[in-house]
Amino acid sequence: HTLHWQNETHAEQWFAGFNWEDPPANPNPRNFLQIRASLWSIIREHETLRRTSRMLGLIPLPSTDLSHRSPAGNLLFHLIFVSTADTRITLFKRGGEVSGAWYWRHTAAVESVLRHHPTATVLIHSNTLEREQFAMYHEAGYRVEVRPFNITELLLESSARGLVGRIPETLEENQYWYSHQTDMLRFLLLFKYGGVYLDTDVLVLRDLTNLTDNVIGYEERTKRIGSAFLKFEKGSKFLELVIGKLHESYTGEKWGELGPVLLKEAYENLKESQKKTVTVLQTTAFFPIHPKNVSNWCFSETDKNTVTTRIEDLKTNSWVIHLNSKITAKYSDVKQGTLCHHLFTENCLFCNEIKVS
């Protein structure tokens, strides 16, 4: 048997073109889990059905053991979220401001992780989100945890302890604190726990199990190194070096001074004997679309041939894609037929939540 998810408007056409003599292979477990999660998100909207499911012990849905397919697949993922609905995030290139509230595009980053790593543990490090916001993940059998953080304690445990007392506590004190705080946290958390870090505007495009550890990627052809996606072992020697430079690099006056700027400086200053502590991949791996092109290429362009070509390029060359919310947060929905429409719908779990125009 095969199982397919179709919109009603496409069902008749799909049945007419279905090859009953030589049907396609059964969907893999990840596709099954995607369909199951989407169905549950619809069912749970009905209070009676949700309560009945709990009463009968059907929720949480059972997890699926995929260890035979991906023995090392139980990865640990980290995301960071520090803003609230009252926070105003300033966009690049005079793009105005947007609310700092958690919304469906942030959810899409989490879903893309679990779409390709159903048995992973996802830690969302946040002092502003509530566990109840992610109840649907637990009900659907996924491991997502909101974990409060204390940046002072993390700094005191590290070689960057000299920063304690120098850092502000709010955006009101420093306009770049939003970025500086998350830059510090990603390095400190990965050094302490290991795993994969991704910004909440990154979509995972494939299983990362076979991606080498201790890896970063160039963000632009100018050889700027991006910090939106990182994969490191616990206690990484390269991260130890980066953390050791936090104190001397921090001025509070420049965006990126603790992120891309620091990573590039740390890598370029490595001694020959230290080069093996980190791998730097080319832009196509993690940052396949240049920031200046992301709005048009992903959110606006609908030419079918152009979009198809870009989809194939991503399938061949990229592990993740960074959608640069500092530029594209103004897009509160996705246009049918765009590259972003494809990316969001292919890498979702609760696919009915996507806002399509």
Side-chain angles (χ1 to χ4, degrees), residues 106-122:
H106 299 127
T107 299
V110 178
E111 291 187 18
S112 72
V113 170
L114 296 171
R115 172 76 172 94
H116 299 284
H117 311 84
T119 59
T121 296
V122 179

Side-chain angles (χ1 to χ4, degrees), residues 206-250:
R206 65 170 81 174
D207 187 341
L208 303 177
T209 303
N210 293 325
L211 174 64
T212 185
D213 285 322
N214 306 316
V215 64
I216 50 182
Y218 289 117
E219 189 170 12
E220 298 175 7
R221 289 187 176 86
T222 56
K223 299 304 182 183
R224 186 171 84 166
I225 295 175
S227 59
F229 179 86
L230 311 162
K231 185 172 188 254
F232 279 93
E233 295 174 315
K234 177 180 178 180
S236 155
K237 294 297 183 183
F238 179 73
L239 286 183
E240 185 177 27
L241 176 66
V242 171
I243 291 170
K245 292 179 175 292
L246 286 174
H247 183 266
E248 62 185 78
S249 300
Y250 178 70

Side-chain angles (χ1 to χ4, degrees), residues 103-113 137 202-203 344 347-348:
Y103 75 123
W104 75 267
R105 280 184 54 185
H106 299 127
T107 299
V110 178
E111 291 187 18
S112 72
V113 170
Y137 292 93
V202 169
L203 294 181
F344 283 120
N347 299 289
C348 60

Side-chain angles (χ1 to χ4, degrees), residues 82-83 87 89 171 174-182 326:
V82 298
S83 60
T87 307
I89 306 298
L171 272 173
N174 185 296
Q175 63 174 323
Y176 299 120
W177 178 231
Y178 173 86
S179 295
H180 292 160
Q181 180 180 202
T182 58
K326 277 286 205 172

Side-chain angles (χ1 to χ4, degrees), residues 18-32:
F18 187 79
N19 186 347
W20 296 99
E21 299 298 325
D22 184 23
N26 289 333
N28 65 38
R30 291 177 177 82
N31 289 346
F32 164 73

Side-chain angles (χ1 to χ4, degrees), residues 39-57:
L39 288 174
W40 172 244
S41 71
I42 296 170
I43 292 170
R44 76 187 300 272
E45 293 177 359
H46 302 274
E47 179 65 25
T48 301
L49 295 178
R50 185 168 70 246
R51 289 190 309 187
T52 301
S53 298
R54 288 186 178 279
M55 182 179 67
L56 296 177

